[in-house]
């Protein structure tokens, strides 16, 4: 890919727009599905819980999440109008249990202690103010709530040709950020898988699934 094509891909990964954004979102759902499913498992969902996902993309995984327990109420937040619309179209039969909203990527537009669980996959690279955003997540979690944060490790991401403008993290980097927030406990799980990269090359991806609790 040319430098310009890589730049466009990076922009679409952070904020998918238009027809190209829909195609990128489909690709992201396919390449990230294992990470997403591991994140959902780590939520340990229970009946009647309220779940918030940050940066849901096309939410092609929603049916998988809703199968884990009865009467789950899911809310998705996106900065991309294209992804909000795409998620609503793909998941039209689940809209009695799911709703999708836009936000600015910084302030979560819900009251304190609204959600039992929060999850996000591969969005931390784009957070403008990580400590403040962690505390926003803390704010909207219930007293015993938990936040599952999943991301590919810096040592893997830095070798990809489209991540030059991403903020990359290893576990120690995130641990330092969390130590500056209101969260109290963090459980780390290491995962790896072989995938085709977003430019079609086979790679081994190492990633972290963190369960962060009040």
């Amino acid at each position: 890919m040319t430098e310009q094509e890589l730049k466009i891909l990076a922009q679409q990964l952070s904020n998918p727009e238009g027809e190209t954004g829909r195609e990128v979102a489909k690709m992201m759902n396919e390449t990230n599905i294992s990470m997403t499913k591991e994140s959902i498992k780590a939520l340990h969902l229970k009946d009647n819980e309220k779940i918030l996902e940050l940066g849901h993309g096309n939410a092609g995984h929603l049916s998988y999440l809703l199968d884990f327990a009865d009467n789950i109420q899911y809310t998705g937040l996106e900065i991309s109008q294209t992804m909000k619309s795409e998620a609503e179209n793909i998941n039209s039969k689940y809209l009695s249990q799911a709703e999708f909203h836009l936000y600015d990527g910084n302030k979560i537009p819900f009251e304190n202690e609204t959600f039992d669980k929060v999850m996000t996959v591969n969005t931390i690279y784009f957070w403008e103010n990580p400590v403040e955003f962690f505390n926003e997540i803390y704010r909207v979690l219930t007293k015993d709530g938990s936040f599952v944060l999943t991301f590919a490790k810096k040592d893997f991401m830095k070798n990809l040709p489209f991540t030059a403008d991403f903020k990359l993290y290893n576990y120690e980097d995130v641990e330092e950020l969390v130590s500056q927030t209101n969260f109290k406990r963090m459980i780390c799980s290491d995962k790896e898988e072989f995938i085709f990269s977003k430019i079609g090359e086979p790679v081994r991806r190492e990633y972290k699934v963190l369960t962060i609790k009040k």
Side-chain angles (χ1 to χ4, degrees):
M1 299 178 76
T2 67
E3 184 176 341
Q4 180 64 21
E5 288 171 333
L6 290 171
K7 184 176 181 180
I8 291 171
L9 175 58
Q11 291 172 341
Q12 289 289 354
L13 290 171
S14 65
N15 185 8
E17 294 182 333
E19 186 57 35
T20 300
R22 283 188 283 273
E23 290 301 315
V24 169
K26 181 180 178 182
M27 177 183 64
M28 282 195 291
N29 185 68
E30 292 170 353
T31 58
N32 292 336
I33 192 63
S34 293
M35 297 179 76
T36 303
K37 287 183 174 180
E38 290 294 335
S39 304
I40 293 169
K41 292 175 186 176
L43 290 172
H44 299 293
L45 295 170
K46 299 176 183 177
D47 294 351
N48 304 308
E49 286 190 324
K50 294 181 179 179
I51 313 304
L52 173 65
E53 182 173 10
L54 304 165
H56 52 72
N58 68 12
H61 53 277
L62 180 59
S63 61
Y64 179 83
L65 184 152
L66 294 177
D67 279 344
F68 270 78
D70 292 331
N71 197 35
I72 292 291
Q73 294 298 313
Y74 170 96
T75 299
L77 279 181
E78 261 290 349
I79 63 171
S80 165
Q81 176 64 61
T82 298
M83 289 301 91
K84 176 181 181 292
S85 299
E86 189 76 351
E88 289 171 335
N89 290 336
I90 289 173
N91 296 288
S92 58
K93 67 179 180 181
Y94 301 116
L95 294 183
S96 63
Q97 285 184 262
E99 57 185 46
F100 300 93
H101 301 274
L102 291 172
Y103 81 130
D104 65 3
N106 295 302
K107 297 295 183 182
I108 298 175
F110 297 104
E111 298 294 327
N112 295 353
E113 300 189 7
T114 299
F115 300 99
D116 302 292
K117 308 282 174 64
V118 178
M119 67 172 282
T120 193
V121 178
N122 287 337
T123 68
I124 191 172
Y125 326 119
F126 312 115
W127 295 2
E128 293 180 9
N129 300 292
V131 172
E132 293 178 16
F133 197 56
F134 270 116
N135 283 329
E136 269 292 279
I137 295 165
Y138 182 97
R139 180 183 64 78
V140 299
L141 277 170
T142 56
K143 180 180 178 182
D144 298 316
S146 59
F147 168 43
V148 171
L149 168 66
T150 301
F151 62 97
K153 294 167 62 176
K154 180 192 298 183
D155 294 341
F156 165 78
M157 293 288 287
K158 69 183 182 182
N159 295 317
L160 300 179
F162 51 81
T163 60
D165 295 327
F166 291 19
K167 176 62 177 174
L168 304 180
Y169 297 89
N170 279 329
Y171 173 76
E172 292 77 14
D173 303 318
V174 177
E175 185 179 43
E176 172 60 25
L177 289 175
V178 172
S179 73
Q180 302 173 55
T181 74
N182 294 321
F183 283 104
K184 305 300 183 188
R185 295 177 289 154
M186 185 163 66
I187 301 168
C188 177
S189 179
D190 288 291
K191 306 287 183 180
E192 68 174 50
E193 60 180 340
F194 284 90
I195 62 164
F196 286 97
S197 75
K198 293 176 178 63
I199 59 172
E201 298 175 345
V203 291
R204 185 182 74 169
R205 175 165 60 188
E206 296 180 330
Y207 65 94
K208 299 279 188 181
V209 180
L210 305 183
T211 302
I212 308 170
K213 299 184 70 66
K214 282 192 167 185

